Amino acid sequence: MGKRKENSTNMHNEKTIMEGCDLTYAVCMIGGRWKLLILCKLENGKLRFSELRDRINGITERMLTLQLRELEKAGLVKRTVYAEVPPKVDYELTEIAQELVPIWSQLSDWGAKHRKTTTKLISK
Amino acid sequence: MGKRKENSTNMHNEKTIMEGCDLTYAVCMIGGRWKLLILCKLENGKLRFSELRDRINGITERMLTLQLRELEKAGLVKRTVYAEVPPKVDYELTEIAQELVPIWSQLSDWGAKHRKTTTKLISK
DNA sequence: CCCATTACTTACAAATTTGTTCGTACCATA
DNA sequence: TATGGTACGAACAAATTTGTAAGTAATGGG
């Protein structure tokens, strides 16, 4: 993780913005490098830690763990531990996260539709 | 800004993910600390630099400039400079950005609806 | 006893984002 | 000539996120 300072301007601004803007709040919850990718993989049902790791190109176990923990705290992912050895843990979307799926898909469509146009603009 | 390294793992991962996931791509475009706040303020029409600055609590001129530049590069905001002294510049949403508005509003509703629930979970 | 498997941890380092503090150009007005 | 308003830019520092390279625990199989 890297714990955050309690009284930095940075932290204060983040809190203030999140409190005042539902949209920013919503986007923050899905705003880590690998979060959306993880959530997408879980759209079709439960997956084990190792399955996620193998399906997400380039992610390290540390990053996967961190992002899953945050998603869990945010109430978007449910973690289930089985009392087995070797360990078995799986992850699935919560109801709250399911409600986001249709919105994601619109966003995704928007991204696909405008990617080329926007990419051209960016490359200027 | 702070230019980015061309060949860091970090940068490489970001590129790869953006290329492979329209959703992540879409979210990246609105993913700075102040971006959504800025976009929201522009929903009802053009605003000048100073108007944005005064309406967004806590933002510095530097941050406002940076985020506006990125939004402009991303094709979400249009910048208009008037040849006057003192300088006058205004900003408005582009068509592409307008298309996002209905999606934002769903996301925002989702945020509002689940904020309490999720906040409780987070505070555990 | 040694090894393999799975889902993590920990300590550390590098990269990136944000914030602070100054400074600039321009011209009308005092 | 000094001042003021507007929209930035630059240099630097602090905070935060991301990546690297190691471990660890528990247990069945050899």
Side-chain angles (χ1 to χ4, degrees), chain A residues 13-61:
Chain A
N13 281 339
E14 184 179 304
K15 273 175 62 179
T16 304
I17 296 174
M18 295 254 287
E19 280 163 15
C21 179
D22 291 327
L23 178 53
T24 301
Y25 169 79
V27 170
C28 275
M29 300 183 62
I30 53 174
R33 163 82 92 240
W34 307 94
K35 292 221 183 89
L36 286 169
L37 230 43
I38 294 172
L39 293 169
C40 289
K41 301 295 178 190
L42 294 175
E43 259 186 69
N44 303 310
K46 293 183 178 185
L47 285 179
R48 298 183 58 171
F49 183 86
S50 51
E51 292 173 319
L52 281 169
R53 182 196 56 202
D54 296 344
R55 288 169 199 216
I56 298 176
N57 204 304
I59 198 168
T60 62
E61 296 194 334

mmCIF file of all heavy atoms in Angstrom, chain A residues 13-61:
data_model
loop_
_atom_site.group_PDB
_atom_site.id
_atom_site.type_symbol
_atom_site.label_atom_id
_atom_site.label_comp_id
_atom_site.label_asym_id
_atom_site.label_seq_id
_atom_site.Cartn_x
_atom_site.Cartn_y
_atom_site.Cartn_z
ATOM 1 N N ASN A 13 -7.552 17.386 -0.125
ATOM 2 C CA ASN A 13 -8.256 17.670 -1.375
ATOM 3 C C ASN A 13 -9.050 16.453 -1.835
ATOM 4 O O ASN A 13 -10.203 16.572 -2.228
ATOM 5 C CB ASN A 13 -7.254 18.072 -2.464
ATOM 6 C CG ASN A 13 -6.806 19.515 -2.322
ATOM 7 O OD1 ASN A 13 -7.478 20.322 -1.689
ATOM 8 N ND2 ASN A 13 -5.656 19.832 -2.885
ATOM 9 N N GLU A 14 -8.420 15.313 -1.769
ATOM 10 C CA GLU A 14 -9.125 14.115 -2.229
ATOM 11 C C GLU A 14 -10.405 13.901 -1.438
ATOM 12 O O GLU A 14 -11.466 13.653 -2.002
ATOM 13 C CB GLU A 14 -8.221 12.886 -2.110
ATOM 14 C CG GLU A 14 -8.904 11.647 -2.667
ATOM 15 C CD GLU A 14 -8.017 10.407 -2.594
ATOM 16 O OE1 GLU A 14 -6.900 10.446 -3.138
ATOM 17 O OE2 GLU A 14 -8.453 9.414 -1.972
ATOM 18 N N LYS A 15 -10.293 14.019 -0.131
ATOM 19 C CA LYS A 15 -11.474 13.826 0.712
ATOM 20 C C LYS A 15 -12.579 14.816 0.377
ATOM 21 O O LYS A 15 -13.740 14.463 0.214
ATOM 22 C CB LYS A 15 -11.101 13.961 2.195
ATOM 23 C CG LYS A 15 -10.627 12.662 2.816
ATOM 24 C CD LYS A 15 -10.143 12.833 4.253
ATOM 25 C CE LYS A 15 -11.221 13.313 5.225
ATOM 26 N NZ LYS A 15 -10.679 13.438 6.607
ATOM 27 N N THR A 16 -12.166 16.084 0.284
ATOM 28 C CA THR A 16 -13.145 17.138 0.006
ATOM 29 C C THR A 16 -13.867 16.888 -1.309
ATOM 30 O O THR A 16 -15.093 16.993 -1.397
ATOM 31 C CB THR A 16 -12.446 18.506 -0.054
ATOM 32 O OG1 THR A 16 -11.744 18.707 1.167
ATOM 33 C CG2 THR A 16 -13.461 19.614 -0.257
ATOM 34 N N ILE A 17 -13.091 16.548 -2.331
ATOM 35 C CA ILE A 17 -13.692 16.319 -3.641
ATOM 36 C C ILE A 17 -14.649 15.128 -3.599
ATOM 37 O O ILE A 17 -15.770 15.196 -4.093
ATOM 38 C CB ILE A 17 -12.600 16.078 -4.704
ATOM 39 C CG1 ILE A 17 -11.738 17.329 -4.856
ATOM 40 C CG2 ILE A 17 -13.223 15.703 -6.033
ATOM 41 C CD1 ILE A 17 -10.544 17.140 -5.765
ATOM 42 N N MET A 18 -14.189 14.050 -2.990
ATOM 43 C CA MET A 18 -15.028 12.855 -2.910
ATOM 44 C C MET A 18 -16.338 13.146 -2.180
ATOM 45 O O MET A 18 -17.392 12.629 -2.555
ATOM 46 C CB MET A 18 -14.291 11.754 -2.171
ATOM 47 C CG MET A 18 -13.062 11.264 -2.883
ATOM 48 S SD MET A 18 -13.301 9.661 -3.636
ATOM 49 C CE MET A 18 -13.309 8.642 -2.158
ATOM 50 N N GLU A 19 -16.247 13.977 -1.148
ATOM 51 C CA GLU A 19 -17.466 14.281 -0.401
ATOM 52 C C GLU A 19 -18.428 15.128 -1.213
ATOM 53 O O GLU A 19 -19.639 15.012 -1.068
ATOM 54 C CB GLU A 19 -17.115 15.005 0.907
ATOM 55 C CG GLU A 19 -16.651 14.047 1.994
ATOM 56 C CD GLU A 19 -15.927 14.763 3.123
ATOM 57 O OE1 GLU A 19 -16.038 16.007 3.206
ATOM 58 O OE2 GLU A 19 -15.244 14.069 3.917
ATOM 59 N N GLY A 20 -17.866 15.975 -2.064
ATOM 60 C CA GLY A 20 -18.721 16.917 -2.761
ATOM 61 C C GLY A 20 -19.180 16.479 -4.145
ATOM 62 O O GLY A 20 -20.043 17.109 -4.745
ATOM 63 N N CYS A 21 -18.614 15.403 -4.646
ATOM 64 C CA CYS A 21 -18.925 15.017 -6.027
ATOM 65 C C CYS A 21 -19.121 13.510 -6.147
ATOM 66 O O CYS A 21 -18.164 12.738 -6.100
ATOM 67 C CB CYS A 21 -17.801 15.500 -6.949
ATOM 68 S SG CYS A 21 -18.024 15.076 -8.689
ATOM 69 N N ASP A 22 -20.371 13.117 -6.303
ATOM 70 C CA ASP A 22 -20.689 11.686 -6.393
ATOM 71 C C ASP A 22 -20.000 11.021 -7.569
ATOM 72 O O ASP A 22 -19.650 9.843 -7.520
ATOM 73 C CB ASP A 22 -22.200 11.494 -6.548
ATOM 74 C CG ASP A 22 -22.947 11.870 -5.272
ATOM 75 O OD1 ASP A 22 -22.384 11.668 -4.187
ATOM 76 O OD2 ASP A 22 -24.074 12.366 -5.379
ATOM 77 N N LEU A 23 -19.822 11.807 -8.609
ATOM 78 C CA LEU A 23 -19.207 11.252 -9.804
ATOM 79 C C LEU A 23 -17.737 10.934 -9.558
ATOM 80 O O LEU A 23 -17.263 9.834 -9.851
ATOM 81 C CB LEU A 23 -19.338 12.281 -10.944
ATOM 82 C CG LEU A 23 -18.716 11.919 -12.282
ATOM 83 C CD1 LEU A 23 -19.187 10.565 -12.771
ATOM 84 C CD2 LEU A 23 -19.046 13.002 -13.300
ATOM 85 N N THR A 24 -17.036 11.891 -8.966
ATOM 86 C CA THR A 24 -15.632 11.646 -8.640
ATOM 87 C C THR A 24 -15.527 10.477 -7.670
ATOM 88 O O THR A 24 -14.649 9.609 -7.806
ATOM 89 C CB THR A 24 -15.003 12.902 -8.014
ATOM 90 O OG1 THR A 24 -15.116 13.988 -8.926
ATOM 91 C CG2 THR A 24 -13.531 12.673 -7.702
ATOM 92 N N TYR A 25 -16.413 10.459 -6.728
ATOM 93 C CA TYR A 25 -16.451 9.363 -5.764
ATOM 94 C C TYR A 25 -16.566 8.020 -6.482
ATOM 95 O O TYR A 25 -15.806 7.089 -6.224
ATOM 96 C CB TYR A 25 -17.638 9.579 -4.826
ATOM 97 C CG TYR A 25 -17.969 8.422 -3.942
ATOM 98 C CD1 TYR A 25 -17.227 8.176 -2.786
ATOM 99 C CD2 TYR A 25 -19.034 7.571 -4.246
ATOM 100 C CE1 TYR A 25 -17.539 7.101 -1.963
ATOM 101 C CE2 TYR A 25 -19.349 6.505 -3.436
ATOM 102 C CZ TYR A 25 -18.605 6.268 -2.300
ATOM 103 O OH TYR A 25 -18.917 5.204 -1.495
ATOM 104 N N ALA A 26 -17.502 7.953 -7.394
ATOM 105 C CA ALA A 26 -17.716 6.698 -8.121
ATOM 106 C C ALA A 26 -16.480 6.300 -8.924
ATOM 107 O O ALA A 26 -16.069 5.138 -8.914
ATOM 108 C CB ALA A 26 -18.932 6.833 -9.048
ATOM 109 N N VAL A 27 -15.883 7.270 -9.581
ATOM 110 C CA VAL A 27 -14.739 6.953 -10.426
ATOM 111 C C VAL A 27 -13.517 6.565 -9.589
ATOM 112 O O VAL A 27 -12.738 5.708 -9.969
ATOM 113 C CB VAL A 27 -14.413 8.119 -11.377
ATOM 114 C CG1 VAL A 27 -13.093 7.899 -12.087
ATOM 115 C CG2 VAL A 27 -15.534 8.277 -12.390
ATOM 116 N N CYS A 28 -13.383 7.174 -8.432
ATOM 117 C CA CYS A 28 -12.258 6.831 -7.552
ATOM 118 C C CYS A 28 -12.277 5.356 -7.156
ATOM 119 O O CYS A 28 -11.235 4.737 -6.979
ATOM 120 C CB CYS A 28 -12.295 7.676 -6.284
ATOM 121 S SG CYS A 28 -11.501 9.273 -6.485
ATOM 122 N N MET A 29 -13.461 4.821 -7.014
ATOM 123 C CA MET A 29 -13.570 3.443 -6.559
ATOM 124 C C MET A 29 -13.056 2.440 -7.594
ATOM 125 O O MET A 29 -12.770 1.295 -7.267
ATOM 126 C CB MET A 29 -15.017 3.128 -6.224
ATOM 127 C CG MET A 29 -15.539 4.031 -5.131
ATOM 128 S SD MET A 29 -17.209 3.609 -4.677
ATOM 129 C CE MET A 29 -16.961 1.951 -4.078
ATOM 130 N N ILE A 30 -12.982 2.874 -8.822
ATOM 131 C CA ILE A 30 -12.510 1.964 -9.864
ATOM 132 C C ILE A 30 -11.220 2.472 -10.487
ATOM 133 O O ILE A 30 -10.810 2.041 -11.551
ATOM 134 C CB ILE A 30 -13.579 1.787 -10.956
ATOM 135 C CG1 ILE A 30 -14.023 3.151 -11.477
ATOM 136 C CG2 ILE A 30 -14.771 1.035 -10.408
ATOM 137 C CD1 ILE A 30 -14.962 3.061 -12.657
ATOM 138 N N GLY A 31 -10.551 3.377 -9.753
ATOM 139 C CA GLY A 31 -9.471 4.115 -10.356
ATOM 140 C C GLY A 31 -8.042 3.639 -10.148
ATOM 141 O O GLY A 31 -7.137 4.460 -10.162
ATOM 142 N N GLY A 32 -7.798 2.400 -9.930
ATOM 143 C CA GLY A 32 -6.405 1.936 -9.860
ATOM 144 C C GLY A 32 -5.983 1.360 -11.200
ATOM 145 O O GLY A 32 -6.818 1.092 -12.059
ATOM 146 N N ARG A 33 -4.700 1.196 -11.354
ATOM 147 C CA ARG A 33 -4.169 0.715 -12.630
ATOM 148 C C ARG A 33 -4.854 -0.547 -13.158
ATOM 149 O O ARG A 33 -5.141 -0.678 -14.321
ATOM 150 C CB ARG A 33 -2.661 0.461 -12.463
ATOM 151 C CG ARG A 33 -2.027 -0.398 -13.510
ATOM 152 C CD ARG A 33 -1.676 0.398 -14.762
ATOM 153 N NE ARG A 33 -0.324 0.898 -14.694
ATOM 154 C CZ ARG A 33 0.031 2.176 -14.727
ATOM 155 N NH1 ARG A 33 -0.863 3.082 -14.831
ATOM 156 N NH2 ARG A 33 1.262 2.557 -14.660
ATOM 157 N N TRP A 34 -5.130 -1.507 -12.267
ATOM 158 C CA TRP A 34 -5.610 -2.798 -12.732
ATOM 159 C C TRP A 34 -7.054 -3.093 -12.365
ATOM 160 O O TRP A 34 -7.585 -4.152 -12.689
ATOM 161 C CB TRP A 34 -4.739 -3.903 -12.144
ATOM 162 C CG TRP A 34 -3.286 -3.727 -12.368
ATOM 163 C CD1 TRP A 34 -2.391 -3.128 -11.521
ATOM 164 C CD2 TRP A 34 -2.525 -4.151 -13.521
ATOM 165 N NE1 TRP A 34 -1.131 -3.163 -12.063
ATOM 166 C CE2 TRP A 34 -1.180 -3.789 -13.288
ATOM 167 C CE3 TRP A 34 -2.861 -4.811 -14.697
ATOM 168 C CZ2 TRP A 34 -0.173 -4.054 -14.209
ATOM 169 C CZ3 TRP A 34 -1.848 -5.078 -15.613
ATOM 170 C CH2 TRP A 34 -0.517 -4.699 -15.364
ATOM 171 N N LYS A 35 -7.709 -2.168 -11.703
ATOM 172 C CA LYS A 35 -9.024 -2.470 -11.137
ATOM 173 C C LYS A 35 -10.067 -2.844 -12.176
ATOM 174 O O LYS A 35 -10.789 -3.830 -12.026
ATOM 175 C CB LYS A 35 -9.535 -1.276 -10.327
ATOM 176 C CG LYS A 35 -8.733 -1.043 -9.067
ATOM 177 C CD LYS A 35 -9.607 -0.682 -7.884
ATOM 178 C CE LYS A 35 -8.759 -0.392 -6.674
ATOM 179 N NZ LYS A 35 -8.365 1.025 -6.611
ATOM 180 N N LEU A 36 -10.173 -2.050 -13.216
ATOM 181 C CA LEU A 36 -11.213 -2.330 -14.196
ATOM 182 C C LEU A 36 -10.974 -3.642 -14.909
ATOM 183 O O LEU A 36 -11.906 -4.388 -15.216
ATOM 184 C CB LEU A 36 -11.311 -1.183 -15.199
ATOM 185 C CG LEU A 36 -11.979 0.057 -14.630
ATOM 186 C CD1 LEU A 36 -11.816 1.230 -15.558
ATOM 187 C CD2 LEU A 36 -13.452 -0.232 -14.367
ATOM 188 N N LEU A 37 -9.696 -3.911 -15.143
ATOM 189 C CA LEU A 37 -9.354 -5.163 -15.800
ATOM 190 C C LEU A 37 -9.795 -6.334 -14.931
ATOM 191 O O LEU A 37 -10.370 -7.318 -15.417
ATOM 192 C CB LEU A 37 -7.838 -5.208 -16.007
ATOM 193 C CG LEU A 37 -7.338 -5.541 -17.389
ATOM 194 C CD1 LEU A 37 -8.103 -4.823 -18.461
ATOM 195 C CD2 LEU A 37 -5.858 -5.230 -17.496
ATOM 196 N N ILE A 38 -9.540 -6.230 -13.662
ATOM 197 C CA ILE A 38 -9.938 -7.276 -12.728
ATOM 198 C C ILE A 38 -11.455 -7.432 -12.736
ATOM 199 O O ILE A 38 -11.989 -8.538 -12.859
ATOM 200 C CB ILE A 38 -9.460 -6.946 -11.297
ATOM 201 C CG1 ILE A 38 -7.933 -6.965 -11.230
ATOM 202 C CG2 ILE A 38 -10.059 -7.919 -10.285
ATOM 203 C CD1 ILE A 38 -7.355 -6.465 -9.915
ATOM 204 N N LEU A 39 -12.143 -6.317 -12.617
ATOM 205 C CA LEU A 39 -13.597 -6.368 -12.573
ATOM 206 C C LEU A 39 -14.164 -6.995 -13.845
ATOM 207 O O LEU A 39 -15.095 -7.809 -13.791
ATOM 208 C CB LEU A 39 -14.160 -4.959 -12.364
ATOM 209 C CG LEU A 39 -13.840 -4.340 -10.993
ATOM 210 C CD1 LEU A 39 -14.204 -2.855 -10.963
ATOM 211 C CD2 LEU A 39 -14.570 -5.077 -9.867
ATOM 212 N N CYS A 40 -13.574 -6.626 -14.983
ATOM 213 C CA CYS A 40 -14.035 -7.211 -16.249
ATOM 214 C C CYS A 40 -13.891 -8.725 -16.255
ATOM 215 O O CYS A 40 -14.778 -9.444 -16.729
ATOM 216 C CB CYS A 40 -13.245 -6.639 -17.427
ATOM 217 S SG CYS A 40 -13.619 -4.931 -17.791
ATOM 218 N N LYS A 41 -12.774 -9.192 -15.747
ATOM 219 C CA LYS A 41 -12.544 -10.638 -15.737
ATOM 220 C C LYS A 41 -13.567 -11.354 -14.872
ATOM 221 O O LYS A 41 -13.867 -12.532 -15.079
ATOM 222 C CB LYS A 41 -11.144 -10.966 -15.205
ATOM 223 C CG LYS A 41 -10.003 -10.362 -15.974
ATOM 224 C CD LYS A 41 -9.911 -10.896 -17.384
ATOM 225 C CE LYS A 41 -8.777 -10.218 -18.134
ATOM 226 N NZ LYS A 41 -8.797 -10.517 -19.558
ATOM 227 N N LEU A 42 -14.073 -10.626 -13.896
ATOM 228 C CA LEU A 42 -15.026 -11.249 -12.968
ATOM 229 C C LEU A 42 -16.473 -11.135 -13.431
ATOM 230 O O LEU A 42 -17.378 -11.667 -12.792
ATOM 231 C CB LEU A 42 -14.878 -10.620 -11.577
ATOM 232 C CG LEU A 42 -13.543 -10.893 -10.874
ATOM 233 C CD1 LEU A 42 -13.464 -10.120 -9.564
ATOM 234 C CD2 LEU A 42 -13.354 -12.388 -10.620
ATOM 235 N N GLU A 43 -16.666 -10.476 -14.551
ATOM 236 C CA GLU A 43 -18.042 -10.262 -15.020
ATOM 237 C C GLU A 43 -18.789 -11.566 -15.250
ATOM 238 O O GLU A 43 -19.998 -11.637 -15.076
ATOM 239 C CB GLU A 43 -18.037 -9.460 -16.322
ATOM 240 C CG GLU A 43 -18.362 -7.998 -16.126
ATOM 241 C CD GLU A 43 -18.486 -7.301 -17.466
ATOM 242 O OE1 GLU A 43 -19.451 -7.586 -18.184
ATOM 243 O OE2 GLU A 43 -17.603 -6.474 -17.794
ATOM 244 N N ASN A 44 -18.057 -12.584 -15.674
ATOM 245 C CA ASN A 44 -18.725 -13.847 -15.977
ATOM 246 C C ASN A 44 -18.699 -14.853 -14.837
ATOM 247 O O ASN A 44 -18.976 -16.028 -15.057
ATOM 248 C CB ASN A 44 -18.111 -14.468 -17.224
ATOM 249 C CG ASN A 44 -18.199 -13.526 -18.406
ATOM 250 O OD1 ASN A 44 -19.267 -12.989 -18.696
ATOM 251 N ND2 ASN A 44 -17.076 -13.281 -19.051
ATOM 252 N N GLY A 45 -18.351 -14.413 -13.666
ATOM 253 C CA GLY A 45 -18.393 -15.324 -12.522
ATOM 254 C C GLY A 45 -17.097 -15.373 -11.735
ATOM 255 O O GLY A 45 -16.133 -14.690 -12.047
ATOM 256 N N LYS A 46 -17.142 -16.193 -10.713
ATOM 257 C CA LYS A 46 -16.015 -16.320 -9.789
ATOM 258 C C LYS A 46 -14.723 -16.726 -10.482
ATOM 259 O O LYS A 46 -14.734 -17.496 -11.439
ATOM 260 C CB LYS A 46 -16.306 -17.411 -8.760
ATOM 261 C CG LYS A 46 -17.415 -17.107 -7.808
ATOM 262 C CD LYS A 46 -17.530 -18.264 -6.806
ATOM 263 C CE LYS A 46 -18.617 -17.975 -5.780
ATOM 264 N NZ LYS A 46 -18.673 -19.007 -4.734
ATOM 265 N N LEU A 47 -13.634 -16.235 -9.944
ATOM 266 C CA LEU A 47 -12.317 -16.680 -10.399
ATOM 267 C C LEU A 47 -11.393 -16.761 -9.194
ATOM 268 O O LEU A 47 -11.522 -15.978 -8.244
ATOM 269 C CB LEU A 47 -11.729 -15.712 -11.418
ATOM 270 C CG LEU A 47 -12.308 -15.729 -12.832
ATOM 271 C CD1 LEU A 47 -11.611 -14.673 -13.680
ATOM 272 C CD2 LEU A 47 -12.157 -17.115 -13.465
ATOM 273 N N ARG A 48 -10.481 -17.693 -9.269
ATOM 274 C CA ARG A 48 -9.487 -17.825 -8.207
ATOM 275 C C ARG A 48 -8.381 -16.797 -8.407
ATOM 276 O O ARG A 48 -8.191 -16.283 -9.517
ATOM 277 C CB ARG A 48 -8.862 -19.220 -8.232
ATOM 278 C CG ARG A 48 -9.855 -20.311 -7.990
ATOM 279 C CD ARG A 48 -9.150 -21.637 -7.955
ATOM 280 N NE ARG A 48 -8.109 -21.664 -6.905
ATOM 281 C CZ ARG A 48 -7.470 -22.766 -6.549
ATOM 282 N NH1 ARG A 48 -7.742 -23.918 -7.142
ATOM 283 N NH2 ARG A 48 -6.559 -22.717 -5.605
ATOM 284 N N PHE A 49 -7.645 -16.575 -7.341
ATOM 285 C CA PHE A 49 -6.508 -15.652 -7.401
ATOM 286 C C PHE A 49 -5.591 -15.991 -8.575
ATOM 287 O O PHE A 49 -5.248 -15.128 -9.389
ATOM 288 C CB PHE A 49 -5.730 -15.734 -6.086
ATOM 289 C CG PHE A 49 -4.582 -14.781 -5.993
ATOM 290 C CD1 PHE A 49 -4.761 -13.477 -5.555
ATOM 291 C CD2 PHE A 49 -3.301 -15.185 -6.349
ATOM 292 C CE1 PHE A 49 -3.698 -12.593 -5.470
ATOM 293 C CE2 PHE A 49 -2.231 -14.304 -6.273
ATOM 294 C CZ PHE A 49 -2.426 -13.013 -5.835
ATOM 295 N N SER A 50 -5.243 -17.246 -8.676
ATOM 296 C CA SER A 50 -4.290 -17.646 -9.725
ATOM 297 C C SER A 50 -4.895 -17.518 -11.123
ATOM 298 O O SER A 50 -4.189 -17.246 -12.093
ATOM 299 C CB SER A 50 -3.820 -19.078 -9.497
ATOM 300 O OG SER A 50 -4.932 -19.929 -9.316
ATOM 301 N N GLU A 51 -6.201 -17.701 -11.212
ATOM 302 C CA GLU A 51 -6.842 -17.542 -12.518
ATOM 303 C C GLU A 51 -6.795 -16.078 -12.953
ATOM 304 O O GLU A 51 -6.506 -15.767 -14.117
ATOM 305 C CB GLU A 51 -8.286 -18.032 -12.452
ATOM 306 C CG GLU A 51 -8.382 -19.541 -12.268
ATOM 307 C CD GLU A 51 -9.809 -20.007 -12.035
ATOM 308 O OE1 GLU A 51 -10.573 -19.345 -11.289
ATOM 309 O OE2 GLU A 51 -10.178 -21.053 -12.604
ATOM 310 N N LEU A 52 -7.069 -15.201 -12.018
ATOM 311 C CA LEU A 52 -6.966 -13.772 -12.329
ATOM 312 C C LEU A 52 -5.547 -13.421 -12.742
ATOM 313 O O LEU A 52 -5.318 -12.772 -13.760
ATOM 314 C CB LEU A 52 -7.358 -12.939 -11.099
ATOM 315 C CG LEU A 52 -8.850 -12.799 -10.841
ATOM 316 C CD1 LEU A 52 -9.101 -12.184 -9.473
ATOM 317 C CD2 LEU A 52 -9.506 -11.956 -11.925
ATOM 318 N N ARG A 53 -4.604 -13.888 -11.952
ATOM 319 C CA ARG A 53 -3.200 -13.589 -12.240
ATOM 320 C C ARG A 53 -2.824 -14.034 -13.649
ATOM 321 O O ARG A 53 -2.175 -13.315 -14.402
ATOM 322 C CB ARG A 53 -2.315 -14.301 -11.219
ATOM 323 C CG ARG A 53 -0.831 -14.038 -11.390
ATOM 324 C CD ARG A 53 -0.009 -15.050 -10.611
ATOM 325 N NE ARG A 53 -0.373 -16.404 -11.027
ATOM 326 C CZ ARG A 53 -0.173 -17.502 -10.281
ATOM 327 N NH1 ARG A 53 0.357 -17.395 -9.093
ATOM 328 N NH2 ARG A 53 -0.536 -18.696 -10.728
ATOM 329 N N ASP A 54 -3.271 -15.231 -14.020
ATOM 330 C CA ASP A 54 -2.891 -15.762 -15.325
ATOM 331 C C ASP A 54 -3.611 -15.073 -16.482
ATOM 332 O O ASP A 54 -3.127 -15.078 -17.609
ATOM 333 C CB ASP A 54 -3.171 -17.264 -15.379
ATOM 334 C CG ASP A 54 -2.308 -18.029 -14.373
ATOM 335 O OD1 ASP A 54 -1.307 -17.452 -13.884
ATOM 336 O OD2 ASP A 54 -2.648 -19.184 -14.053
ATOM 337 N N ARG A 55 -4.778 -14.500 -16.193
ATOM 338 C CA ARG A 55 -5.531 -13.871 -17.275
ATOM 339 C C ARG A 55 -5.202 -12.403 -17.473
ATOM 340 O O ARG A 55 -5.606 -11.791 -18.458
ATOM 341 C CB ARG A 55 -7.030 -14.003 -16.995
ATOM 342 C CG ARG A 55 -7.494 -15.420 -17.183
ATOM 343 C CD ARG A 55 -8.894 -15.601 -16.657
ATOM 344 N NE ARG A 55 -9.134 -17.024 -16.449
ATOM 345 C CZ ARG A 55 -10.294 -17.611 -16.658
ATOM 346 N NH1 ARG A 55 -11.316 -16.905 -17.060
ATOM 347 N NH2 ARG A 55 -10.421 -18.904 -16.446
ATOM 348 N N ILE A 56 -4.532 -11.835 -16.510
ATOM 349 C CA ILE A 56 -4.215 -10.416 -16.630
ATOM 350 C C ILE A 56 -2.734 -10.262 -16.922
ATOM 351 O O ILE A 56 -1.887 -10.417 -16.050
ATOM 352 C CB ILE A 56 -4.605 -9.663 -15.346
ATOM 353 C CG1 ILE A 56 -6.107 -9.769 -15.129
ATOM 354 C CG2 ILE A 56 -4.182 -8.203 -15.459
ATOM 355 C CD1 ILE A 56 -6.598 -9.151 -13.857
ATOM 356 N N ASN A 57 -2.484 -9.940 -18.160
ATOM 357 C CA ASN A 57 -1.115 -9.872 -18.644
ATOM 358 C C ASN A 57 -0.328 -8.764 -17.966
ATOM 359 O O ASN A 57 -0.714 -7.615 -17.999
ATOM 360 C CB ASN A 57 -1.162 -9.612 -20.154
ATOM 361 C CG ASN A 57 0.089 -10.094 -20.817
ATOM 362 O OD1 ASN A 57 1.182 -9.668 -20.432
ATOM 363 N ND2 ASN A 57 -0.043 -10.981 -21.772
ATOM 364 N N GLY A 58 0.783 -9.149 -17.340
ATOM 365 C CA GLY A 58 1.675 -8.138 -16.782
ATOM 366 C C GLY A 58 1.479 -7.821 -15.317
ATOM 367 O O GLY A 58 2.298 -7.146 -14.705
ATOM 368 N N ILE A 59 0.394 -8.282 -14.745
ATOM 369 C CA ILE A 59 0.161 -7.953 -13.337
ATOM 370 C C ILE A 59 1.037 -8.830 -12.446
ATOM 371 O O ILE A 59 1.323 -9.983 -12.781
ATOM 372 C CB ILE A 59 -1.328 -8.108 -12.955
ATOM 373 C CG1 ILE A 59 -1.618 -7.346 -11.660
ATOM 374 C CG2 ILE A 59 -1.702 -9.584 -12.819
ATOM 375 C CD1 ILE A 59 -3.097 -7.201 -11.354
ATOM 376 N N THR A 60 1.514 -8.264 -11.360
ATOM 377 C CA THR A 60 2.287 -9.061 -10.408
ATOM 378 C C THR A 60 1.353 -9.506 -9.286
ATOM 379 O O THR A 60 0.281 -8.922 -9.095
ATOM 380 C CB THR A 60 3.432 -8.240 -9.783
ATOM 381 O OG1 THR A 60 2.863 -7.141 -9.067
ATOM 382 C CG2 THR A 60 4.361 -7.722 -10.848
ATOM 383 N N GLU A 61 1.787 -10.492 -8.550
ATOM 384 C CA GLU A 61 0.939 -10.978 -7.459
ATOM 385 C C GLU A 61 0.695 -9.877 -6.437
ATOM 386 O O GLU A 61 -0.396 -9.738 -5.904
ATOM 387 C CB GLU A 61 1.582 -12.194 -6.795
ATOM 388 C CG GLU A 61 1.706 -13.374 -7.751
ATOM 389 C CD GLU A 61 2.010 -14.675 -7.033
ATOM 390 O OE1 GLU A 61 2.598 -14.635 -5.930
ATOM 391 O OE2 GLU A 61 1.635 -15.744 -7.564
#
